[in-house]
Amino acid sequence: MAGTLNKVMLIGHTGDEVKMHYFEGGNCIGRFPLATNEEYINKATNEKVSNTEWHNIVVRNKAAEVCEKYLKKGDKVYIEGRIKTRKWQDEKGMDRYSTEIQCLEFTFLTPKDGSNSPSSTESSSAPQQQTASKPSSKPQATEEEEDDLPF
C-alpha cells in the first residue's frame, strides 16, 4: 500500500460547551469533549454493560465560531476528522501526551426547533449541517430517479 489514512468518524453527545481560544491575526480554535457509548450484553453474567469513551474535539476558525454559537452541552453531533497526538510538558517537566480529534467536517444531529422545513433560514434557526473545510457533495440524480426537488 502506497499511502496511509488517518480518518475518524464519530457520532456522540457533547460533554460541555465549546471553549474558544483566540489568537493574534484573527484565527481561533474551539475545543469540546464528545462522548460515544458502547452497550453490550456480558455473556458470562448476562448483564448489560455500558462503556463511555471521551474524545477531545478541536475545530478551527469559522467552523469553531459556528460550533460555539449552536452547540450546547448534550447535543448530538457527527464529527469527521483525523487523530492528532500532542506532546507537552507539565509544570514538573514531565512529558505528557494529549490525543485530539482535529475536526474537518461536522453535522448537527440535534434539532434546534420543531420545524425543519425548507423555508426556515439560517438566521432564524441553527444550520443542521456545517462543513469545516469543504462543501458537502450532493448525490447526482440519474435519469431513472428524476424528481422535482430544486437541488
Side-chain angles (χ1 to χ4, degrees):
M1 179 176 209
T4 64
L5 177 67
N6 181 353
K7 184 171 185 173
V8 176
M9 294 183 290
L10 300 168
I11 296 176
H13 292 275
T14 57
D16 202 354
E17 306 296 319
V18 177
K19 305 288 191 249
M20 297 293 291
H21 302 278
Y22 294 91
F23 304 101
E24 290 182 18
N27 291 333
C28 63
I29 62 171
R31 299 176 182 272
F32 61 93
L34 186 77
T36 56
N37 300 310
E38 172 189 25
E39 291 183 353
Y40 62 92
I41 303 294
N42 183 326
K43 291 183 180 179
T45 63
N46 215 25
E47 290 180 315
K48 186 176 180 180
V49 179
S50 180
N51 291 325
T52 300
E53 186 73 31
W54 287 97
H55 311 274
N56 298 313
I57 308 299
V58 177
V59 63
R60 299 185 181 283
N61 299 320
K62 182 66 176 170
E65 293 170 353
V66 170
C67 285
E68 179 190 34
K69 183 174 181 180
Y70 294 110
L71 277 180
K72 303 296 177 220
K73 182 178 180 179
D75 283 353
K76 193 172 191 179
V77 63
Y78 166 79
I79 299 288
E80 190 171 314
R82 61 179 61 120
I83 295 175
K84 176 151 184 158
T85 302
R86 294 186 304 114
K87 180 180 176 182
W88 51 281
Q89 290 187 339
D90 64 14
E91 60 276 353
K92 296 178 183 175
M94 301 292 293
D95 286 346
R96 308 284 284 195
Y97 296 89
S98 298
T99 301
E100 303 168 333
I101 306 301
Q102 300 287 319
C103 178
L104 301 175
E105 296 185 36
F106 57 87
T107 302
F108 299 138
L109 300 176
T110 299
K112 292 298 180 190
D113 58 13
S115 106
N116 285 333
S117 66
S119 62
S120 62
T121 62
E122 283 192 19
S123 61
S124 65
S125 66
Q128 291 300 306
Q129 181 171 12
Q130 288 293 321
T131 301
S133 63
K134 61 182 179 187
S136 62
S137 59
K138 294 185 173 125
Q140 300 295 320
T142 64
E143 292 178 21
E144 295 174 5
E145 49 184 39
E146 285 184 275
D147 56 31
D148 57 351
L149 295 176
F151 51 91

